[in-house]
Amino acid sequence: MFPLDITAAANIHANELHREDPGLAAVYGKLQQLDPAGLRFAAVLRDTIDQLLNGEITGRYDWKTLFKTEKTHAGTLVEINLQREFKFADGIDMDYQISGIDVDCKYSQQLGGWMIPPEALGHLCLLVWADDYTSQWSAGLLRIRAEWLNAGNNRDKKLTIKAEHRNKILWLWHQQELPENTLLHMDPVHRAAVYEASSGQARLNELFRRCQQRRIGRNVIRTVAQQKDYMKRVRGNGGSRSSLKDEGIIILGDYRSHQEIAGQLGVPIPREGEFVSVCVTPADESHAGPRTLIDGSLWTVATAGDVIVAAPTLPSSISRAKQ
């Protein structure tokens, strides 16, 4: 079954190739089996971009601040990290073997900009794209044919796929949601306020104060705190949960109990390694909107004009639910 956002013509061409090419069909089926919703793939791409930004050391959050050599290295890191995540066997002539078939992995920062080496002719390529500015990513399969490629003008004679033949790509996932780079997409005024804070702990407090009801990943925490014990800075006992308690702000993590609270409040549910902050206010049995029971009392999301009281103590649990 193909993603609904692909044009009908592309579906027709890709479906024909899928039927005609058993190897293509086998690799497609295996990848769909390994990652039906594309969540693992998306996580690898998010982590790879964050690995290049290296925010804990550099404080960077914007792809444009990377050096040219770092951007060039992105394709290699995507290839390595996908192999680690999915445990693909080494290929004979290409990067991987998937279902016993050689597959080359190509990553581009621009959709359609994949550079295909001459030795990939006749082989399957896993074509990957991710854009931190649009928070989107894609991955598809293509059996490389010479007539579908533009001539290479670079020194290593790498080729590109002709625009009119990109409809031959069998998309595994197309223009899917890439986990958000929160710092990149923040209001610049709020981001400046975060970075103007005097310490790692103060920066994290400001982040959770100004980025409520948004998923904040572990790498964002690492970038803002710029400390090796960055996770400690989120928790109670002196961390952001303690610091923001009097402001009525709770910080939900990836514990199952926290995810249930998020769902009941109607705010984004934190996935593995993520946090969501939200200001809450007491509710009663007559409250018609979303509400949840925390620490023996009913609470709801605070709105302008609500009385702000100290936030409740969240339940703790070692049970996490991957999504």
Side-chain angles (χ1 to χ4, degrees):
M1 189 168 183
F2 300 96
L4 296 177
D5 60 349
I6 306 176
T7 64
N11 269 332
I12 292 169
H13 285 296
N15 200 26
E16 289 174 353
L17 294 167
H18 184 265
R19 288 196 303 267
E20 295 168 0
D21 190 333
L24 177 65
V27 174
Y28 178 89
K30 182 63 176 179
L31 290 173
Q32 284 285 307
Q33 176 190 345
L34 289 170
D35 193 12
L39 296 180
R40 294 171 66 189
F41 217 104
V44 168
L45 293 173
R46 173 74 274 149
D47 289 345
T48 301
I49 294 171
D50 291 336
Q51 182 181 350
L52 283 162
L53 291 168
N54 194 18
E56 182 181 341
I57 303 300
T58 66
R60 297 179 304 187
Y61 55 84
D62 189 338
W63 179 271
K64 292 176 182 175
T65 62
L66 293 175
F67 296 120
K68 182 179 179 180
T69 50
E70 291 176 308
K71 294 177 182 178
T72 303
H73 191 46
T76 301
L77 282 180
V78 168
E79 173 195 327
I80 292 169
N81 291 340
L82 285 174
Q83 186 167 28
R84 285 176 177 166
E85 173 65 25
F86 293 102
K87 297 180 172 57
F88 298 138
D90 287 335
I92 298 172
D93 297 310
M94 299 289 103
D95 296 323
Y96 313 138
Q97 272 206 350
I98 303 173
S99 293
I101 297 163
D102 260 22
V103 178
D104 211 31
C105 180
K106 292 300 167 200
Y107 171 79
S108 174
Q109 300 156 33
Q110 291 83 39
L111 187 60
W114 304 284
M115 303 299 293
I116 311 298
E119 58 268 24
L121 286 171
H123 288 282
L124 287 178
C125 274
L126 174 62
L127 305 173
V128 185
W129 162 78
D131 187 331
D132 224 4
Y133 299 99
T134 62
S135 298
Q136 290 185 327
W137 68 278
S138 296
L141 294 165
L142 180 69
R143 175 80 67 182
I144 302 301
R145 297 183 184 177
E147 62 269 26
W148 294 348
L149 302 177
N150 293 303
N153 295 319
N154 42 57
R155 286 182 298 173
D156 50 10
K157 298 182 180 179
K158 287 186 177 179
L159 315 169
T160 57
I161 302 165
K162 292 179 180 178
E164 64 266 29
H165 291 298
R166 291 176 195 159
N167 61 0
K168 311 299 194 305
I169 299 169
L170 180 61
W171 293 110
L172 290 143
W173 308 278
H174 190 50
Q175 294 182 328
Q176 298 296 299
E177 178 188 354
L178 182 71
E180 185 187 43
N181 180 338
T182 310
L183 289 169
L184 180 65
H185 292 277
M186 280 181 72
D187 182 301
V189 173
H190 292 321
R191 185 171 58 230
V194 169
Y195 274 93
E196 286 168 3
S198 58
S199 67
Q201 184 63 69
R203 289 192 295 272
L204 278 182
N205 295 347
E206 201 64 34
L207 176 70
F208 285 118
R209 184 180 289 121
R210 291 174 178 268
C211 276
Q212 294 185 39
Q213 300 187 46
R214 291 171 69 173
R215 293 187 179 100
I216 297 175
R218 185 179 288 121
N219 277 304
V220 175
I221 305 299
R222 181 185 293 127
T223 300
V224 170
Q226 290 191 268
Q227 294 170 326
K228 291 186 177 179
D229 59 348
Y230 60 94
M231 291 301 289
K232 179 181 177 183
R233 306 294 172 179
V234 178
R235 305 185 186 114
N237 300 319
S240 292
R241 283 197 179 112
S242 298
S243 300
L244 300 177
K245 185 180 179 70
D246 287 343
E247 299 177 34
I249 295 173
I250 57 174
I251 301 174
L252 303 167
D254 59 3
Y255 295 133
R256 188 181 301 277
S257 58
H258 290 199
Q259 293 173 329
E260 290 173 353
I261 289 170
Q264 291 161 2
L265 289 175
V267 301
I269 298 173
R271 296 168 295 207
E272 185 178 12
E274 293 180 335
F275 299 91
V276 173
S277 64
V278 56
C279 185
V280 295
T281 191
D284 55 39
E285 294 290 348
S286 64
H287 182 76
R291 62 185 186 182
T292 187
L293 186 68
I294 309 175
D295 200 21
S297 300
L298 286 173
W299 297 83
T300 188
V301 177
T303 58
D306 281 337
V307 175
I308 300 302
V309 301
T313 300
L314 291 169
S316 60
S317 170
I318 60 172
S319 175
R320 289 179 168 83
K322 293 184 179 181
Q323 296 186 352

